[in-house]
Amino acid sequence: MDVVLIGTGYPGEMPLFTRGLADAGARVIGVGDQPQHEVPDVARHALAAYIQIPSWADEDAALTTILDALRGHNVDLVASLWEPTMLLAARLREAIGVPGLTVEQTVPFRDKGRMKEVLEAAGIRTPRSERSTTVAGCRGAAERIGYPLIIKPIAGAGSLDTYRIEDDADLDGALGRLGHIPEVSVEEFIDGEELTYDTVCAAGRIAFDNICWYRPRPLVGKQVERTTQQVFALRDLDAPDLAGGRAMGEAVIEAMGFTSGFTHMEWYRKSDGEVVFGEIGARAPGGRLTDLMNYACDIDLFRGWAEAVCHGTFSQPIERRYNSGQAILRAYGQGHIVGIQGLDHVLATMGEHIVNIDLVGLGQARRDWRATVLSDGVLVVRHPDLGTTLELIERVADEVRLYAA
């Protein structure tokens, strides 16, 4: 099977999905905007061929370059797991006549306004919203919807350029920062906890599903620097307080007509138990959430996804053994990392529960916390008991400090 994978080296998880395809028996034809020798080793060694495009920014030119390179080749599948390349992948599928999401099917995954229209028609509760391309339109939508509200890009991802608006002053400030966004969604703010519903679908069925819990909500982490964002892949998906979100996720998958591959959905659970849809992408989650799922179940979803899209099967046994939790750490100060405090003590006292440490190293530049999901690195723990997992992550958040100068 010849599979074109659009985006083999970026974001960070893509090399592992590239390797997963090769492990599933595919001949992987990678597509990227960097020279082949700059593709990460894990991905480069899994490639049978590589197509370098001029830029992701010019979709028409990218499509032409790929089609020219594929002339005379038989291609079985086109895959994409990165939001900005979803429509390019759909256009390529239609041009060469292979199965998978069409442009028409892809648009609701990328256009949040269209997404809500599809799901509201299916009877799924979504936040009240309006779309706008002008400042005046945003002000009118805010007046009709009422504060508090959220403004975010129609085709965004990862809480980037997303703002919670409490009053007219907040609205003015957000609009001043959104001039580079061509179209936004102005929507009702849902006051509640934020969770995910993630799936790998194979041949029209949900072969694997997962729920992650954000603590606090990602939007808080985007607005408050001194926040240690925590994310938990939950062990007990049959817990009563997750039933509504899980059922809604299944209904969303059906309404969106998704049959094969990864999906990542976010949803809200209000204090009164009501569940409200957030958004969904036809892709794997970012922010190392695929790793969290792997740690929770001792499986390899990079290979599981590849098997699902190539063969319509998911053969790995699924045993939810752990809750896995991730603390996203932010350095104190500016400049380069000069010290890491508390890590040795954490390793000595709870090291058996720590499964991954990936922090910015000494001497390296501190990352811009506003521009990256993972800030200055992550530490991951796991434990069968949820309460214990929460306590372990709280210890990490309290004790481990990175300092920059």
Side-chain angles (χ1 to χ4, degrees):
M1 174 174 284
D2 284 12
V3 179
V4 174
L5 179 61
I6 299 180
T8 56
Y10 182 86
E13 294 91 346
M14 292 308 107
L16 299 175
F17 285 109
T18 307
R19 183 176 65 187
L21 284 170
D23 289 344
R27 292 184 68 255
V28 187
I29 304 169
V31 176
D33 64 344
Q34 72 268 64
Q36 185 169 356
H37 69 270
E38 294 181 5
V39 174
D41 288 348
V42 170
R44 191 173 66 253
H45 294 156
L47 295 176
Y50 183 75
I51 302 169
Q52 183 180 348
I53 61 170
S55 169
W56 295 118
D58 190 339
E59 190 175 283
D60 290 338
L63 181 62
T64 298
T65 300
I66 297 169
L67 288 173
D68 287 345
L70 292 176
R71 203 175 307 278
H73 290 269
N74 291 320
V75 173
D76 299 288
L77 288 174
V78 175
S80 169
L81 287 156
W82 186 33
E83 287 280 349
T85 63
M86 299 298 296
L87 282 172
L88 174 60
R91 292 177 65 187
L92 181 59
R93 290 187 196 104
E94 292 187 354
I96 62 180
V98 298
L101 291 175
T102 64
V103 170
E104 182 179 1
Q105 292 171 319
T106 301
V107 167
F109 282 101
R110 291 289 292 134
D111 183 318
K112 292 180 173 59
R114 179 68 185 127
M115 179 189 299
K116 289 183 172 63
E117 291 173 3
V118 170
L119 297 180
E120 286 168 359
I124 293 167
R125 165 74 160 100
T126 69
R128 293 180 295 114
S129 66
E130 297 184 26
R131 56 198 302 162
S132 179
T133 58
T134 67
V135 169
C138 290
R139 294 190 194 283
E143 183 176 345
R144 288 183 290 274
I145 294 170
Y147 299 121
L149 53 80
I150 295 289
I151 292 184
K152 61 185 178 182
I154 282 288
S159 297
L160 293 175
D161 296 306
T162 299
Y163 299 95
R164 176 176 173 173
I165 310 298
E166 296 287 346
D167 51 33
D168 289 344
D170 282 352
L171 181 61
D172 290 341
L175 292 175
R177 294 187 290 271
L178 287 169
H180 62 292
I181 304 296
E183 187 172 17
V184 299
S185 175
V186 182
E187 65 181 48
E188 168 192 8
F189 174 76
I190 303 299
D191 189 6
E193 295 181 288
E194 187 168 346
L195 303 97
T196 77
Y197 183 69
D198 310 284
T199 74
V200 174
C201 295
R205 67 182 181 89
I206 296 174
F208 170 88
D209 64 351
N210 169 80
I211 291 176
C212 281
W213 171 38
Y214 297 113
R215 194 175 73 162
R217 290 172 59 154
L219 186 57
V220 175
K222 283 294 180 183
Q223 295 177 331
V224 182
E225 180 178 7
R226 292 272 60 91
T227 299
T228 301
Q229 183 74 58
Q230 303 171 16
V231 192
F232 300 89
L234 301 176
R235 180 186 185 189
D236 184 9
L237 299 195
D238 295 321
D241 61 348
L242 301 179
R246 195 178 191 186
M248 180 173 62
E250 294 170 354
V252 168
I253 296 293
E254 182 177 358
M256 296 292 282
F258 192 83
T259 60
S260 181
F262 236 121
T263 67
H264 170 62
M265 185 186 100
E266 294 178 341
W267 58 281
Y268 307 102
R269 181 175 60 202
K270 298 173 64 176
S271 59
D272 62 3
E274 181 186 19
V275 297
V276 183
F277 172 80
E279 58 187 61
I280 187 171
R283 58 170 177 82
R288 304 281 180 86
L289 266 63
T290 303
D291 290 342
L292 279 187
M293 300 179 219
N294 285 338
Y295 291 131
C297 302
D298 276 336
I299 59 176
D300 185 341
L301 287 171
F302 302 106
R303 291 183 172 91
W305 163 82
E307 179 188 350
V309 297
C310 290
H311 307 299
T313 57
F314 191 98
S315 60
Q316 296 179 66
I318 301 169
E319 181 183 358
R320 302 184 190 281
R321 302 179 61 192
Y322 305 98
N323 301 279
S324 59
Q326 173 175 274
I328 301 173
L329 302 175
R330 292 175 179 169
Y332 291 75
Q334 301 298 326
H336 294 75
I337 304 299
V338 296
I340 301 175
Q341 174 183 301
L343 181 59
D344 289 343
H345 182 256
V346 162
L347 284 170
T349 55
M350 52 183 270
E352 64 185 298
H353 305 300
I354 296 174
V355 290
N356 186 33
I357 302 171
D358 186 5
L359 304 177
V360 174
L362 294 175
Q364 295 182 359
R366 183 194 175 185
R367 297 171 183 159
D368 182 353
W369 64 275
R370 298 176 185 85
T372 174
V373 173
L374 296 175
S375 294
D376 295 309
V378 300
L379 192 150
V380 182
V381 306
R382 68 179 184 180
H383 194 279
D385 177 67
L386 178 57
T388 303
T389 308
L390 299 179
E391 292 174 2
L392 292 170
I393 282 292
E394 280 297 322
R395 283 193 54 195
V396 171
D398 289 342
E399 297 181 26
V400 180
R401 294 281 187 273
L402 283 76
Y403 295 95

